[in-house]
Amino acid sequence: MLKDFKPVLGILLRFIIIYLVLLFAYQFYLNSFKASGLDPYSRFIAEQAAFIQNKIGYATSLYNDIPKEQVWFYVNKVYVSRMVEGCNAISVIILFVAFIFAFYKGTKTFVFVTASLVILYVMNVLRIVGLNIVTRDHPEYNKMVHDYIFPAVIYGSVVVLWLIWIKFFALKNENS
C-alpha cells in the first residue's frame, strides 16, 4: 500500500524539506539585520516603489525608521503607508519556490523559477505602488485594498504560476 503513495510522499517530503531550509535561511538573513532596521531587500523594494511613484507623478520620499524596522512612504508630502518586512512577499515566494521544486523537472525548473521570481517581484512592487496611490488619493478604500485586493493580487499571481507549472511542465509527460 505504501508503494502506491511513494510518488506523493516524495513530493511532499521534498516540499517540506525545501520549505524549511528556505524558511530557516530567510530567518537567519532577517536576524543578521535586526540592529540595522528594515532588511536590505525590503528597503530595496520600498525604493523601487518610490522610484516608480516618482516617475508617474507621485512625489515620494522615504523615511527609515530603524528602531521599528520599517520605512515610511511620504507621497506628495503626506504619510500614506509604511513598509515592513512582511510587505516584501518573501514568505509567499518561499512557499512558491518550495512547491515548484517539489515537482522538480531538471533545468526547466530553474528557468521557470527564475522567470516566475521576476514576475512576482514586479507584481509585488506594483502592488505596493498601487496601495500607496489608492491610500493617497482614496484613503477610504485603504483597508479594503490593503487587506483584500492587493493580497489577492500577489496570491493570485502565485496560484496562476503554480497552475502553469503543473499544467505545462510538471505533469506534461504524465498527460501524454
Side-chain angles (χ1 to χ4, degrees), residues 69-120:
E69 298 179 10
Q70 59 192 3
V71 172
W72 298 84
F73 284 94
Y74 288 90
V75 181
N76 296 334
K77 298 180 182 174
V78 174
Y79 156 74
V80 294
S81 67
R82 62 190 175 97
M83 172 92 175
V84 296
E85 174 272 325
C87 301
N88 67 17
I90 291 293
S91 58
V92 175
I93 288 170
I94 288 172
L95 189 65
F96 171 79
V97 169
F99 180 83
I100 298 300
F101 275 100
F103 292 89
Y104 183 77
K105 295 293 179 182
T107 306
K108 64 182 168 184
T109 308
F110 290 96
V111 172
F112 186 81
V113 164
T114 302
S116 297
L117 291 179
V118 170
I119 291 167
L120 292 173

Side-chain angles (χ1 to χ4, degrees), residues 41-87:
Y41 180 74
S42 298
R43 195 173 309 122
F44 181 72
I45 296 281
E47 290 166 359
Q48 293 296 303
F51 175 80
I52 292 171
Q53 289 169 206
N54 282 315
K55 288 294 183 190
I56 61 173
Y58 285 86
T60 302
S61 59
L62 300 174
Y63 169 71
N64 288 320
D65 187 353
I66 292 172
K68 294 185 180 172
E69 298 179 10
Q70 59 192 3
V71 172
W72 298 84
F73 284 94
Y74 288 90
V75 181
N76 296 334
K77 298 180 182 174
V78 174
Y79 156 74
V80 294
S81 67
R82 62 190 175 97
M83 172 92 175
V84 296
E85 174 272 325
C87 301

